[in-house]
Amino acid sequence: MSDVVEKTLTALPGLFESQTGAAKITNRLRQLIKSITELTSKHEEENLIKRELSAIKEQVSSPNTTMKQMREIMVRAMYCEMLGYDASFTYIHAIKLAQQGGVLEKRVGYLAVSLFLNEGHELLLLLVNTVLKDLQSTNLIEVCMALTVVAQVFPKDMIPAVLPLVEDKLSHPKEIIRRKAVLALYKFYLIAPNQVQHIHAKFCKALSDKDPGVMASSLHIYLQLIRESPDSYKDLTGSFVTILKQVLGGKLPVDFNYHSVPAPWLQIQLLRILSLLGKEDQSTSELMYEVLDESLRRAEMNHNITYAILYECVKAVYTIHPKAELLEKAARCIGNFVLSPKINLKYLGLKALTYVVQHDAKLALQHQMTIIECLDHSDFTIKRETLELLFRITNAQNVTVIVEKMLDFLCYVPIKTLTFAPDNSWFIQTMNDVFSIGGDLLQQDDPNNFLRLLAEGKPEEDDQLRLYAVESYLTVLKGHTSHLPQCFLQVMSWVLGEYAHLQESVDRREVIRLLTQLLDQRSVSSETRVWILSALTKIPEGQTDLILDLAESLSSSQDTVLRQQAQELRHLSQDSQLREWVLVENSCAVDSSLSFLDGFVSEALAAGAAPYKPPHQRQEELSLNLEPYSFSLPVSLSSCSITDRQSPTLLSVSSGLSGNSAELSTLILEGVKRVWGKDGYLPQKEATAPPVDEPSAAVQPASQQEAAERIEPRPEPSTQNQDKQQLASSLFVGLGVGSSVSLLGKSEAPPPRFRKKPRPHESSSSSGTSKRSSDSSSRSSRNTTDSFLYGSFPEEEPATSISTFDHTPKSTTANGLSQNKDTKEDRHANTSQILGGDMVIVRPSTIQDKHPPSVSSDLTALLPADLKDLPHSDVISLTSDPSLSLSSCRLFRDEALLLVIFISNCTETVIKDVAVQLTCEELKVCTGNVMDCLEARSTSVCHYALLMDDPHTNVSLTGTVSYQTQPGHTNTLPFSGTLSTADFIRPLVVTTEEYGKLWLSLSHDVKQNLKLLTDAGDPLRTTLNALKDALQLHVVDIIGSEGIVACRLLSGAPCLLHCRVNGAALAMWLRSPHPALPDFILYHCQRALAHH
Amino acid sequence: MIKFLLMVNKQGQTRLSRYYEQVELGKRASLEADVVRGCLARRKEECSFVEFKDYKLVYRQYAALFIVVGITENENELSIYELVHNFVEVLDKYFSRVSELDIMFNLDKVHIILDEMILNGHIVETNKTRILAPLLALDKMAES
């Protein structure tokens, strides 16, 4: 609710003053609240609350304090306890207030009791009589509050005293009393189930109560009962189904609706009950198929709460006895969730998927690309949920990839997963990674579990594993060790101490030397030193000289434990008999319960010693609260008013700091650019066309390719995409029917429909990628589909085309759009099938026009008639060579930017097979264009519609023109250019009123002071006009010193600007639904004003 | 199940806390500080659910005020997310345009409202009229 009115802290004094007439005691609470809002440090808070508590203490003991005052005191005590300070001396007064106060005071007394006292507190016994009295009161409100408190905190032993009264209330004429009585009984059931066994029949009556509220409260009891023993309540299935049907059918009064959804939380509760009843029970499940189907169908409304119901419904469908038709619908629902751009829904979708894959692992296959994208999601929660999902589908075939992903995620590798380890070396290597990366973040148990795993294996079977561990650790220790986490060092020294002797080839002196070396390192903790010394002790004798040296050097150590160990070490190494006796070679029986100490312990306890507490318990008792009052917030944030909605983006913060965001924003943008971030994947939509249709091209023999046939310029899969697909195929292996189910395998290859085109062009466009793709395909040779596709690319490339390609900027997505619409659409269908419909519609808009020679005349005259009227930029020359010259011009259409390229033939001969290829990583549409020939001295025009979904400061375009002057001889001419976001901004024409409404609904905002142009007349008007000219903004209204301006990103996200003259500056406040758009517009405004 | 509901402002100051599972008084402050830190660290475009210790947090921001609910794994995050909104709508109805200060000055009443909606960590009433009925009756009696 963005329109919650914010009464800012600055308004506080006024509010306080307006209350001056109130009683003195009222002032105390107000004073307290005021002081609390003004707190700046933990220290201040402590002083304030201490003062407050002593004031309260004084007041409560005064005989003159009225009940009304006591109510205020209770609220003050609530504040003290809320801030974490003990106010236990007020507890008894809370009970008194509940006993003696008038209705309002009584309610506050009860409230304080429920807040302060937890179950089992002895003071609660004093409340019993009050509750009994109130339950019998004729005042319904008193009965109500007594029932509420009974349902919150009530001493277990006293239940029999109130039970008959509460039971009576089940047949009270008022629904609220019946409802609260049911809830009180539910509480009794939770804390003392045997006390309420005899009233189960009454629960049933509550379930069929004519009031929906009473019925709804009885569901809590039933959910609990059914969870405990589902079989006893199967006969109620019909009732629950009927209730759900009635709710769905809108039979409840309208005030049960939430955002026009009938009683959503009640629906969720019913769905939970049904899924418990239908679990592993076909006949019961059959009763609910219909209502579940209806529930799935009803949820078409686009609101969070319907999705919450849907989620519960999907869970139910997958929990009960399966029905194919329902499963299919539920799976589709999950698909909608997972693919939703709304992040909360995506999360819920992943959660549902995690639940569902336990029943049907194949479902994960359908969403593998989304899952992979979510793995790299910037949102930690999403990532975490995805890993949870992967963890559930871990099997022997995909364990290596999944664990790798988990390692990336750090600190969360359940060792359990590793029991799937395919081989010893992988296991040890992975554990090395886990320890060295995760290191001290690991749970304490993890190193121990690992060591146990090593130690408990059978000698013959697991010696291999141990040997490998020893070898691998020796290698690690020979390298740089100072950065290794302590727990890893401990694990290594233990393993070396225990198992170094297994490895015959290893020189023991070497082992000792490596371990001693560790001891010398300053970064090694004393705990680790103890581990290392223990390891050294275990290494068999024979190296007495080294050991003695070591013991000697340590005997002067400041650490007593180390000194003691050094002594032991010296004795042991000198006395081999003692050594044999102490260090038994083979394992010995261990009395893990330490029973031999029992006598000692009981003696000590009898003598008054404190009983043993485990370390964690001791730690908890010792821990000090060092929490500062307000933390990690910059001063500016805390000092700004509560109305201030700070923009969350990094950009605005940095621009606020520097005052000039220009360089900063570009820098950050580049830094932030991720390989496949939240939307990093989108700009290459066109490139995501799957390589499925390539076999047809690849199948053609090389000799034929060299002939003058023509192959369509085709979309190249970007390397990123290939990586993803490979990842997908390795992650989801073993889930499908065959083990090689992969993304590619799932889609059906479209019928080959290639119109043949000249080869040279094709080779020039794909030369860069084919190398790369063959590299990456060799990485995953097990994916036969992949390697088949890329491995069959022609290896030899014409030398010329490579060299021309070299000096074009990095183009990972050389791609083109075929003129053959059929093929294009075909690919589309195909792509969207794979991406689950997450595909952008590309508008083909390549038009060719041939024009008579016009060398120096105005090129814009050549524009097609339908484009002539559009606003356009100047024509700029892009590039030229002796034969061709290229110019471009930008046309501003409402929904897109049209980039028009003029290709002029400067020669007297016909140029053939002119093909233009345009690439842009950030923009949506890149269309290729091939024309047959270009007459001498003529100019041809082609244009591209460019869409920008996410703003970027500047986007660079690169492209190539390939053409033939003589048959068989291809020339390539690279070109490049830049476009700014400003080119994609369009005026948004709205009225002042619409603007106001829109303003309130937008969430992301940025504020900044800009330069005010003061050179002419009205500074505000001049500045806004300058901005309007530069950026195509729409000035909605100017009132006095304020102006409102609106624009949008093409036909997409709007951005509203609110400008106010503030001294010599222009205070600009931007809002947009798009998180980053305000920053970019601000940047362009700054630039426009700076250049003015 | 709901473990607790907190109202905390951007500065990390608790404005209301209600625990449905026993948490020692001394540990509440640091728990709340951790919770707020967890929520403040999130960007607006990130989802409203955070893993926290062995349970989940569902948070929703209203102006400078965060409402954070701690729930167990088996709870439906989105339904809790909407429950928070329902709660705010009820407060809005009672206080007519609720603000942080309304909540501070009427801590007891906000608690009374919350008690009608959530009991022992379960959602017991979501019908706005019914939630407010007892409090409105109290107000009427106090006036007369």
Side-chain angles (χ1 to χ4, degrees):
Chain A
M1 188 181 295
S2 56
D3 56 355
V4 172
V5 169
E6 303 120 359
K7 293 175 195 162
T8 60
L9 284 175
T10 47
L12 262 177
L15 260 161
F16 291 123
E17 275 153 31
S18 68
Q19 302 289 340
T20 41
K24 200 184 165 206
I25 187 93
T26 312
N27 268 338
R28 287 233 168 99
L29 176 60
R30 287 182 187 280
Q31 191 55 46
L32 173 67
I33 293 172
K34 185 167 183 265
S35 315
I36 288 177
T37 56
E38 287 165 354
L39 287 175
T40 54
S41 71
K42 190 81 188 165
H43 182 69
E44 266 183 47
E45 181 192 281
E46 228 164 86
N47 286 339
L48 172 71
I49 300 298
K50 258 186 206 155
R51 277 201 311 273
E52 189 65 27
L53 282 173
S54 55
I56 292 177
K57 209 171 238 171
E58 201 178 293
Q59 271 182 298
V60 290
S61 51
S62 150
N64 300 329
T65 310
T66 64
M67 281 296 134
K68 204 177 165 206
Q69 289 168 329
M70 198 57 100
R71 187 193 139 211
E72 298 274 356
I73 292 173
M74 279 306 135
V75 180
R76 281 156 62 198
M78 283 178 207
Y79 265 107
C80 297
E81 289 243 321
M82 188 170 82
L83 293 173
Y85 299 85
D86 179 78
S88 49
F89 65 90
T90 60
Y91 295 174
I92 183 72
H93 298 282
I95 289 179
K96 269 197 212 158
L97 189 63
Q99 245 163 34
Q100 299 161 6
V103 265
L104 192 53
E105 289 84 45
K106 195 183 253 307
R107 182 66 186 94
V108 174
Y110 275 135
L111 172 66
V113 167
S114 76
L115 281 172
F116 295 157
L117 306 181
N118 44 45
E119 271 154 43
H121 198 290
E122 50 188 7
L123 282 180
L124 277 180
L125 289 174
L126 301 180
L127 196 71
V128 176
N129 274 325
T130 317
V131 168
L132 276 173
K133 200 183 96 209
D134 285 337
L135 281 177
Q136 297 171 75
S137 163
T138 47
N139 187 341
L140 287 186
I141 294 181
E142 285 181 351
V143 180
C144 229
M145 57 181 88
L147 284 170
T148 306
V149 85
V150 162
Q152 285 171 325
V153 277
F154 198 75
K156 205 160 138 184
D157 309 335
M158 298 309 284
I159 291 176
V162 291
L163 191 57
L165 283 173
V166 176
E167 262 183 83
D168 271 357
K169 303 293 177 212
L170 284 177
S171 43
H172 197 278
K174 277 279 180 194
E175 62 81 18
I176 186 163
I177 304 290
R178 293 201 302 275
R179 189 159 59 82
K180 293 207 173 261
V182 172
L183 291 172
L185 288 176
Y186 171 51
K187 174 72 175 186
F188 293 165
Y189 178 75
L190 286 180
I191 57 174
N194 41 1
Q195 305 253 25
V196 287
Q197 251 165 1
H198 63 286
I199 39 175
H200 279 201
K202 292 196 173 163
F203 293 158
C204 201
K205 207 177 141 222
L207 180 66
S208 50
D209 197 289
K210 61 181 187 296
D211 184 81
V214 181
M215 178 274 295
S217 358
S218 75
L219 293 182
H220 292 285
I221 300 179
Y222 278 107
L223 183 65
Q224 188 63 30
L225 290 171
I226 293 170
R227 197 176 279 146
E228 284 160 11
S229 74
D231 291 335
S232 328
Y233 298 92
K234 298 278 184 187
D235 54 324
L236 285 176
T237 314
S239 313
F240 294 123
V241 167
T242 318
I243 296 170
L244 183 54
K245 255 185 207 157
Q246 285 174 348
V247 176
L248 283 172
K251 298 277 160 53
L252 293 187
V254 183
D255 58 357
F256 280 91
N257 285 7
Y258 172 75
H259 292 250
S260 24
V261 180
W265 291 276
L266 174 61
Q267 288 190 42
I268 289 174
Q269 190 83 342
L270 284 164
L271 286 167
R272 284 179 186 159
I273 290 178
L274 287 181
S275 70
L276 286 175
L277 286 171
K279 193 174 183 182
E280 289 155 8
D281 181 343
Q282 185 169 0
S283 57
T284 312
S285 297
E286 274 163 5
L287 294 174
M288 52 187 83
Y289 287 151
E290 193 195 329
V291 76
L292 288 179
D293 189 47
E294 195 180 341
S295 193
L296 281 176
R297 232 173 337 109
R298 288 252 170 200
E300 71 282 333
M301 220 187 67
N302 183 20
H303 190 280
N304 274 337
I305 197 67
T306 55
Y307 295 120
I309 298 171
L310 260 186
Y311 167 78
E312 215 64 51
C313 204
V314 165
K315 256 181 96 169
V317 167
Y318 271 91
T319 313
I320 63 170
H321 186 84
K323 185 185 184 201
E325 188 194 329
L326 278 181
L327 289 179
E328 197 181 304
K329 282 185 185 170
R332 217 175 306 138
C333 275
I334 295 181
N336 289 339
F337 276 30
V338 173
L339 293 172
S340 168
K342 285 187 185 162
I343 191 82
N344 286 344
L345 291 190
K346 202 184 237 353
Y347 167 84
L348 212 62
L350 287 169
K351 196 177 167 188
L353 207 52
T354 310
Y355 180 78
V356 164
V357 290
Q358 296 169 54
H359 302 265
D360 178 11
K362 276 177 235 152
L363 207 65
L365 282 174
Q366 290 175 19
H367 301 294
Q368 37 182 313
M369 280 321 262
T370 321
I371 294 172
I372 284 169
E373 266 167 50
C374 290
L375 256 186
D376 261 350
H377 205 281
S378 57
D379 187 338
F380 186 85
T381 311
I382 297 283
K383 229 172 167 173
R384 172 69 178 75
E385 198 58 38
T386 315
L387 281 176
E388 186 73 38
L389 170 61
L390 286 181
F391 173 58
R392 305 247 180 240
I393 57 166
T394 308
N395 58 30
Q397 281 145 301
N398 60 17
V399 63
T400 44
V401 194
I402 287 183
V403 172
E404 196 181 303
K405 281 284 146 195
M406 288 181 171
L407 269 180
D408 290 348
F409 190 72
L410 261 179
C411 66
Y412 183 75
V413 179
I415 300 289
K416 181 180 165 271
T417 329
L418 297 174
T419 47
F420 287 117
D423 62 65
N424 289 338
S425 60
W426 181 82
F427 177 67
I428 296 292
Q429 203 52 53
T430 307
M431 284 315 292
N432 283 357
D433 289 344
V434 172
F435 284 131
S436 51
I437 303 170
D440 298 327
L441 293 172
L442 285 175
Q443 295 188 346
Q444 236 176 352
D445 285 348
D446 285 346
N448 290 343
N449 287 343
F450 171 68
L451 292 181
R452 187 175 303 149
L453 203 84
L454 276 182
E456 284 177 354
K458 295 190 192 86
E460 322 80 56
E461 278 175 35
D462 287 296
D463 271 358
Q464 197 60 39
L465 181 64
R466 293 170 189 157
L467 265 178
Y468 193 84
V470 169
E471 245 169 70
S472 139
Y473 293 160
L474 286 175
T475 327
V476 171
L477 286 183
K478 276 173 196 161
H480 206 60
T481 52
S482 57
H483 64 282
L484 294 174
Q486 300 302 320
C487 80
F488 190 27
L489 292 178
Q490 291 164 10
V491 165
M492 285 195 290
S493 40
W494 188 87
V495 170
L496 289 178
E498 286 292 314
Y499 302 118
H501 65 92
L502 290 176
Q503 179 69 292
E504 299 298 332
S505 61
V506 171
D507 181 6
R508 287 187 188 151
R509 299 185 74 86
E510 176 71 4
V511 177
I512 294 174
R513 196 185 58 77
L514 284 171
L515 287 175
T516 330
Q517 214 175 1
L518 278 184
L519 279 179
D520 294 338
Q521 268 177 29
R522 199 178 292 180
S523 58
V524 172
S525 74
S526 49
E527 194 195 341
T528 311
R529 283 170 206 270
V530 175
W531 283 74
I532 297 170
L533 272 181
S534 310
L536 284 167
T537 323
K538 283 183 270 186
I539 291 173
E541 72 275 50
Q543 325 299 338
T544 327
D545 54 330
L546 277 179
I547 296 294
L548 281 180
D549 278 356
L550 177 67
E552 185 62 43
S553 69
L554 282 177
S555 60
S556 57
S557 162
Q558 288 186 338
D559 190 323
T560 42
V561 180
L562 285 185
R563 256 198 333 259
Q564 185 191 341
Q565 272 205 317
Q567 283 299 332
E568 289 168 7
L569 192 57
R570 192 165 67 199
H571 283 298
L572 285 175
S573 62
Q574 283 168 337
D575 187 343
S576 60
Q577 252 186 334
L578 177 68
R579 188 190 161 83
E580 253 165 54
W581 190 71
V582 172
L583 293 165
V584 189
E585 281 285 321
N586 298 314
S587 54
C588 48
V590 174
D591 181 1
S592 60
S593 67
L594 303 179
S595 59
F596 60 94
L597 286 174
D598 285 353
F600 174 75
V601 172
S602 53
E603 222 170 87
L605 282 176
Y612 173 75
K613 280 180 186 166
H616 59 91
Q617 206 175 329
R618 267 175 279 161
Q619 247 166 21
E620 277 173 13
E621 283 166 12
L622 281 175
S623 69
L624 289 172
N625 184 10
L626 297 170
E627 206 59 72
Y629 188 80
S630 74
F631 43 83
S632 72
L633 279 167
V635 188
S636 64
L637 249 183
S638 44
S639 64
C640 70
S641 70
I642 43 175
T643 46
D644 205 347
R645 284 208 264 145
Q646 292 286 325
S647 155
T649 57
L650 243 178
L651 272 176
S652 65
V653 175
S654 55
S655 60
L657 289 175
S658 71
N660 177 16
S661 68
E663 304 87 343
L664 266 174
S665 54
T666 16
L667 275 178
I668 288 166
L669 257 185
E670 277 159 14
V672 165
K673 202 165 149 201
R674 296 159 48 86
V675 192
W676 5 304
K678 188 169 61 110
D679 45 12
Y681 191 45
L682 295 174
Q684 287 107 13
K685 279 298 167 194
E686 184 59 5
T688 54
V692 190
D693 43 5
E694 309 221 337
S696 55
V699 166
Q700 291 169 6
S703 61
Q704 264 183 310
Q705 282 180 1
E706 269 154 24
E709 11 155 281
R710 316 160 122 206
I711 294 173
E712 285 283 345
R714 59 190 172 206
E716 296 290 338
S718 67
T719 18
Q720 293 168 11
N721 196 28
Q722 282 174 36
D723 285 348
K724 276 192 178 184
Q725 288 173 358
Q726 281 167 16
L727 183 60
S729 56
S730 42
L731 275 179
F732 299 96
V733 69
L735 289 184
V737 202
S739 61
S740 67
V741 181
S742 76
L743 187 66
L744 301 168
K746 273 193 70 71
S747 55
E748 291 150 14
R753 260 188 249 176
F754 285 97
R755 206 155 56 96
K756 286 159 187 172
K757 284 271 169 186
R759 240 197 71 65
H761 161 68
E762 182 263 333
S763 69
S764 72
S765 69
S766 63
S767 59
T769 34
S770 65
K771 277 237 155 47
R772 217 171 297 132
S773 49
S774 59
D775 281 350
S776 52
S777 65
S778 65
R779 243 174 13 113
S780 73
S781 50
R782 66 199 126 124
N783 186 337
T784 48
T785 330
D786 272 359
S787 48
F788 168 65
L789 290 176
Y790 304 114
S792 57
F793 260 72
E795 283 299 325
E796 72 283 16
E797 302 289 347
T800 50
S801 68
I802 288 176
S803 61
T804 37
F805 201 81
D806 276 346
H807 61 255
T808 58
K810 186 182 73 143
S811 103
T812 44
T813 54
N815 57 354
L817 182 82
S818 68
Q819 281 177 308
N820 184 334
K821 275 195 181 168
D822 281 350
T823 319
K824 195 183 73 65
E825 274 158 21
D826 222 337
R827 284 182 197 168
H828 262 290
N830 190 13
T831 320
S832 49
Q833 189 186 353
I834 285 165
L835 292 174
D838 192 20
M839 189 68 194
V840 190
I841 297 151
V842 181
R843 289 169 226 183
S845 65
T846 319
I847 301 175
Q848 291 177 40
D849 272 305
K850 299 231 168 68
H851 292 279
S854 60
V855 180
S856 58
S857 63
D858 183 12
L859 284 167
T860 52
L862 299 175
L863 287 172
D866 55 331
L867 300 180
K868 272 208 172 96
D869 294 328
L870 291 172
H872 61 81
S873 70
D874 295 338
V875 177
I876 50 163
S877 169
L878 281 176
T879 181
S880 63
D881 70 2
S883 334
L884 281 184
S885 82
L886 260 67
S887 320
S888 78
C889 164
R890 285 160 290 149
L891 272 70
F892 307 108
R893 214 158 64 185
D894 271 349
E895 80 290 1
L897 176 73
L898 295 186
L899 185 74
V900 179
I901 297 181
F902 302 93
I903 307 163
S904 310
N905 183 352
C906 315
T907 62
E908 299 299 335
T909 51
V910 176
I911 294 179
K912 281 191 173 165
D913 295 315
V914 182
V916 186
Q917 273 226 293
L918 192 69
T919 311
C920 177
E921 284 193 42
E922 289 89 354
L923 296 179
K924 258 202 178 158
V925 178
C926 299
T927 54
N929 186 15
V930 181
M931 54 194 102
D932 286 328
C933 57
L934 189 56
E935 300 292 334
R937 293 269 159 218
S938 75
T939 299
S940 166
V941 178
C942 56
H943 70 246
Y944 300 82
L946 302 177
L947 297 179
M948 182 184 262
D949 264 3
D950 281 309
H952 302 266
T953 15
N954 286 308
V955 286
S956 54
L957 283 166
T958 55
T960 48
V961 186
S962 60
Y963 60 94
Q964 291 191 344
T965 39
Q966 298 152 8
H969 185 79
T970 306
N971 292 317
T972 311
L973 179 62
F975 64 88
S976 64
T978 14
L979 295 170
S980 93
T981 310
D983 292 323
F984 295 89
I985 293 171
R986 301 286 177 269
L988 175 65
V989 184
V990 287
T991 63
T992 312
E993 221 175 80
E994 288 165 342
Y995 181 99
K997 269 187 207 152
L998 193 56
W999 178 266
L1000 286 176
S1001 69
L1002 300 180
S1003 49
H1004 298 280
D1005 58 1
V1006 174
K1007 287 178 188 172
Q1008 173 98 29
N1009 281 343
L1010 296 183
K1011 190 173 121 186
L1012 192 62
L1013 300 176
T1014 45
D1015 38 332
D1018 180 358
L1020 179 65
R1021 215 166 274 275
T1022 320
T1023 315
L1024 290 188
N1025 281 338
L1027 289 176
K1028 183 182 157 195
D1029 292 344
L1031 284 164
Q1032 304 200 51
L1033 308 174
H1034 172 68
V1035 179
V1036 181
D1037 209 347
I1038 297 180
I1039 307 160
S1041 63
E1042 293 186 52
I1044 50 176
V1045 180
C1047 66
R1048 65 202 309 177
L1049 187 66
L1050 294 175
S1051 47
C1055 182
L1056 302 183
L1057 295 82
H1058 176 267
C1059 312
R1060 191 167 48 83
V1061 177
N1062 183 11
L1066 182 70
M1068 194 173 278
W1069 187 359
L1070 300 95
R1071 276 196 181 181
S1072 168
H1074 193 288
L1077 188 58
D1079 291 299
F1080 288 106
I1081 293 192
L1082 192 62
Y1083 164 63
H1084 283 288
C1085 289
Q1086 280 179 328
R1087 270 182 56 126
L1089 293 179
H1091 290 185
H1092 195 77
Chain B
M1 197 197 131
I2 299 169
K3 292 192 160 203
F4 57 77
L5 184 142
L6 299 177
M7 287 175 125
V8 207
N9 70 6
K10 266 190 178 174
Q11 282 75 45
Q13 295 157 325
T14 308
R15 293 302 182 225
L16 177 132
S17 65
R18 179 83 201 187
Y19 290 84
Y20 299 102
E21 219 184 42
Q22 201 178 319
V23 177
E24 278 171 49
L25 196 62
K27 288 186 186 155
R28 291 185 185 181
S30 69
L31 173 95
E32 284 159 24
D34 286 345
V35 165
V36 189
R37 199 174 306 133
C39 296
L40 278 177
R42 313 263 309 159
R43 285 174 292 144
K44 277 199 177 151
E45 62 270 23
E46 292 182 329
C47 73
S48 318
F49 319 123
V50 204
E51 186 143 326
F52 186 77
K53 304 197 171 161
D54 56 341
Y55 47 97
K56 291 261 164 69
L57 300 178
V58 174
Y59 66 91
R60 209 163 167 157
Q61 191 182 354
Y62 295 93
L65 205 60
F66 280 90
I67 298 185
V68 191
V69 188
I71 54 168
T72 51
E73 179 65 30
N74 58 9
E75 200 42 90
N76 179 332
E77 286 89 343
L78 205 55
S79 81
I80 299 295
Y81 184 71
E82 287 306 306
L83 179 77
V84 169
H85 194 66
N86 196 27
F87 176 46
V88 173
E89 282 181 352
V90 173
L91 292 179
D92 226 29
K93 196 172 167 186
Y94 182 75
F95 293 106
S96 54
R97 313 284 255 170
V98 66
S99 73
E100 188 175 338
L101 284 178
D102 285 328
I103 292 163
M104 292 194 78
F105 283 119
N106 297 283
L107 186 67
D108 46 351
K109 292 187 174 172
V110 178
H111 267 298
I112 292 172
I113 290 174
L114 193 58
D115 279 355
E116 291 298 316
M117 296 182 71
I118 306 173
L119 194 73
N120 292 309
H122 298 288
I123 305 169
V124 293
E125 186 59 84
T126 53
N127 178 331
K128 294 189 184 70
T129 330
R130 292 191 169 192
I131 292 168
L132 286 177
L135 182 57
L136 292 174
L138 271 181
D139 285 347
K140 221 179 198 172
M141 292 187 96
E143 261 173 40
S144 59

